[in-house]
Amino acid sequence: MDRQSSDDIMKFLDGMASSDDVLFGFLDEGNHSPEDYNFAAGDESEADNDTTDCNSEENRKFWQEHEQLLQATLYRTSSIETKIRQATKEALKVVRSKGLVCVCRRPVTDGCRSCLRGEVSRLLREAGYDCVIFKSMWRSSHEIPAGEHEYLEVVDKSVSKKGEIRVVIELCFRAEFEMARGSEEYKRLIGMLPEVYVGKTERLKSLIKILCTAAKKCMKDKKMHMGPWRKHKYMQAKWFGTCERKSVSPVSETEENMFPVAKQRVSMLNYGLFGAGIGRPTVVAVV
């Protein structure tokens, strides 16, 4: 998933120019409150024909309540979240204006998601934020398969009374919950999500619960099996599993020796060259 095609990356970055509301959604502060939005059942689209109870009062109530819950959760925000969100916007605008160069072993034209995370993280650090790339990993169980996921996180310590405040930055948040065969109600709910999520970990947990409950309801209505990668436990593990902090650091002599140099055939033509260090690999440690 990280090695996203160049077309998708450019489409993602180009989308910034069209509307920040689409990119960051209701995460931005505004003059509206959740009560200002109309969730009348009469505005809802017709459901899929292959479902049997989509027009029932119970079904309409479920989706209406989840839209309201999602709206309210996305609307709530704090000053530190708003501050980091704005800095993330600026970082993405810089990436879009300068272009994204992929530095992976197998470079992708116009960049990949992994390189996008790295560049945004770098720009946020330059702006004074303690932003790092986290990689969560989890083992398989009888409920979910093993997996791993990378995302950005900013740790803020400016408010001493509250201690550390962790703010997650997920650059492709909406895509994590999209389902090709989802019902119209589910797709409408997912359409409310921002493309880029910037918010506290507590808020993210609430969103995951709302969305996974909706996914379960969607699959049940369509009489389809729900894949383990759609379950609440699996989705939560993406941002709250066992994590390792990734950062590029200078390579020590010990680390360099971990990468043995292939023995060279010595002749009068190359004698003395390898002793001077020519031909040895350049090593960058990721910890």
Side-chain angles (χ1 to χ4, degrees):
M1 292 297 292
D2 279 346
R3 295 187 63 78
Q4 187 183 24
S5 70
S6 59
D7 290 340
D8 289 340
I9 286 289
M10 294 312 296
K11 181 179 179 181
F12 169 76
L13 294 176
D14 288 341
M16 295 174 45
S18 60
S19 174
D20 280 345
D21 292 335
V22 174
L23 193 67
F24 288 83
F26 296 107
L27 292 170
D28 288 320
E29 289 183 314
N31 298 320
H32 303 287
S33 66
E35 291 76 13
D36 293 331
Y37 296 90
N38 180 20
F39 291 100
D43 292 336
E44 296 185 2
S45 302
E46 289 292 330
D48 292 340
N49 294 327
D50 58 348
T51 56
T52 59
D53 62 346
C54 287
N55 293 323
S56 68
E57 183 62 29
E58 181 181 352
N59 195 59
R60 288 195 296 269
K61 184 178 179 180
F62 174 89
W63 291 107
Q64 181 177 341
E65 288 179 348
H66 274 68
E67 286 184 4
Q68 291 173 336
L69 280 171
L70 185 63
Q71 180 91 51
T73 305
L74 288 172
Y75 173 79
R76 289 194 297 270
T77 189
S78 63
S79 58
I80 185 61
E81 288 172 293
T82 302
K83 188 177 178 182
I84 296 174
R85 194 171 300 124
Q86 185 59 40
T88 304
K89 282 184 183 181
E90 296 302 319
L92 286 169
K93 287 178 181 178
V94 171
V95 174
R96 181 179 182 276
S97 63
K98 293 185 177 181
L100 184 64
V101 178
C102 184
V103 294
C104 297
R105 291 183 177 180
R106 295 181 180 179
V108 176
T109 305
D110 295 326
C112 63
R113 284 188 184 181
S114 180
C115 291
L116 178 61
R117 276 193 295 268
E119 185 63 11
V120 171
S121 177
R122 183 186 68 80
L123 291 170
L124 287 175
R125 288 197 302 272
E126 288 183 356
Y129 295 96
D130 182 14
C131 181
V132 295
I133 300 174
F134 273 98
K135 182 176 183 178
S136 61
M137 296 174 289
W138 57 96
R139 295 181 178 180
S140 61
S141 67
H142 67 283
E143 295 181 85
I144 61 173
E148 59 183 45
H149 182 73
E150 289 189 7
Y151 61 94
L152 300 178
E153 185 172 290
V154 173
V155 178
D156 182 78
K157 301 178 182 178
S158 59
V159 183
S160 57
K161 293 182 180 179
K162 294 184 178 180
E164 289 186 352
I165 297 177
R166 295 172 57 202
V167 176
V168 172
I169 302 174
E170 177 57 64
L171 299 178
C172 299
F173 186 64
R174 187 189 303 151
E176 296 294 334
F177 296 92
E178 290 177 338
M179 291 193 297
R181 301 183 67 180
S183 64
E184 291 302 317
E185 294 94 341
Y186 182 79
K187 289 180 179 179
R188 182 167 57 252
L189 191 72
I190 298 305
M192 295 170 61
L193 295 176
E195 179 65 39
V196 178
Y197 173 82
V198 182
K200 294 180 181 179
T201 54
E202 296 84 357
R203 192 184 322 284
L204 180 57
K205 286 182 179 180
S206 298
L207 290 173
I208 293 172
K209 185 174 183 179
I210 293 170
L211 295 166
C212 288
T213 302
K216 185 176 181 179
K217 167 70 171 174
C218 172
M219 292 292 98
K220 182 179 179 181
D221 287 347
K222 293 177 74 68
K223 295 180 172 57
M224 293 175 61
H225 172 71
M226 185 172 180
W229 57 89
R230 298 288 183 188
K231 292 183 177 180
H232 178 261
K233 189 173 182 180
Y234 186 92
M235 296 302 293
Q236 194 169 40
K238 287 188 175 184
W239 297 280
F240 302 100
T242 303
C243 297
E244 67 175 14
R245 176 172 174 155
K246 297 183 65 179
S247 62
V248 179
S249 61
V251 179
S252 64
E253 183 177 351
T254 302
E255 291 171 325
E256 189 174 356
N257 290 334
M258 293 172 62
F259 298 85
V261 181
K263 293 182 179 181
Q264 301 292 335
R265 298 176 66 88
V266 180
S267 70
M268 293 304 294
L269 296 176
N270 62 19
Y271 179 76
L273 290 179
F274 299 103
I278 299 176
R280 301 187 68 186
T282 301
V283 182
V284 177
V286 179
V287 298

